[in-house]
Amino acid sequence: MFNIGWPEMVILVVAALVILGPERLPGAIRWTAQSLRQVRDYASGATTQLRSELGPEFDEIRKPLQEINELRRPLDQFRGMTPRSAVTKHLLDGDDSLFTGKFDKPSSTSNGSGYSPPPSYSPPEPPKPLARNEKPPIDFDAT
C-alpha cells in the first residue's frame, strides 16, 4: 500500500522520537495502529456492503477494471527500458556494437540472416614524433 521499507521506518521512528519524546511515543504508536485498523475495517465493510447490495452487478462493474489491468500487462515488458535498449532490442536485434564500439565480437543473438560481422580492423600506427631540428614532410598535393 505505502511501500515503506526498513530504512524509511527507522527514519520515521527516529523523527517521531525526536518530535514527540520518549514518554508520548508509545501512546502515539498505539493511536496510529488503532486508526489504521479502523480505516481498514471501514474499507472492508464498505466493500462487503457494496457487494451484498449490488449482488451480481458488482462483478459487472469490476469487469472493465480487470480488462484494463489485462491491457496493462503487455506494457510491463517496457518498464525500465531506456531508449538505447529499445533501439538495441527492436531495431538492431540485440546487437549493441553500434553503441559500445566493439565491432570485432559477433553479436550474441543471431537473426538467422547469415550475416557475419566484418573482420576486425586495427587502425594504422600513429607516426613517430619528429627528431630535434628535423623538418616535417611536405605534401605537395595538399598545397
Side-chain angles (χ1 to χ4, degrees):
M1 184 170 135
F2 289 110
N3 202 10
I4 296 177
W6 285 108
E8 292 89 357
M9 188 66 71
V10 169
I11 290 171
L12 287 173
V13 168
V14 169
L17 186 61
V18 169
I19 293 170
L20 297 174
E23 61 274 350
R24 288 187 284 182
L25 186 61
I29 291 174
R30 220 175 296 117
W31 178 82
T32 305
Q34 287 174 351
S35 298
L36 285 174
R37 252 186 252 118
Q38 264 186 335
V39 168
R40 196 178 319 133
D41 290 342
Y42 289 149
S44 64
T47 305
T48 307
Q49 183 180 2
L50 206 87
R51 190 171 289 193
S52 67
E53 288 180 7
L54 290 178
E57 294 173 1
F58 183 75
D59 292 331
E60 291 177 19
I61 292 173
R62 292 192 68 176
K63 229 179 230 184
L65 295 175
Q66 290 174 346
E67 290 174 3
I68 289 173
N69 284 336
E70 288 175 11
L71 289 175
R72 285 181 57 197
R73 280 196 196 115
L75 297 178
D76 288 339
Q77 67 180 338
F78 299 114
R79 191 160 301 178
M81 186 174 278
T82 62
R84 178 177 167 175
S85 62
V87 167
T88 301
K89 180 178 179 185
H90 296 288
L91 296 180
L92 302 175
D93 294 325
D95 182 17
D96 66 345
S97 61
L98 180 68
F99 299 115
T100 60
K102 298 178 183 174
F103 297 105
D104 55 343
K105 284 185 169 179
S107 67
S108 59
T109 59
S110 173
N111 58 4
S113 66
Y115 170 77
S116 62
S120 64
Y121 169 76
S122 60
E125 293 184 25
K128 63 180 182 171
L130 297 175
R132 186 176 199 109
N133 295 329
E134 182 181 356
K135 292 186 176 184
I138 296 176
D139 186 7
F140 292 106
D141 293 332
T143 57

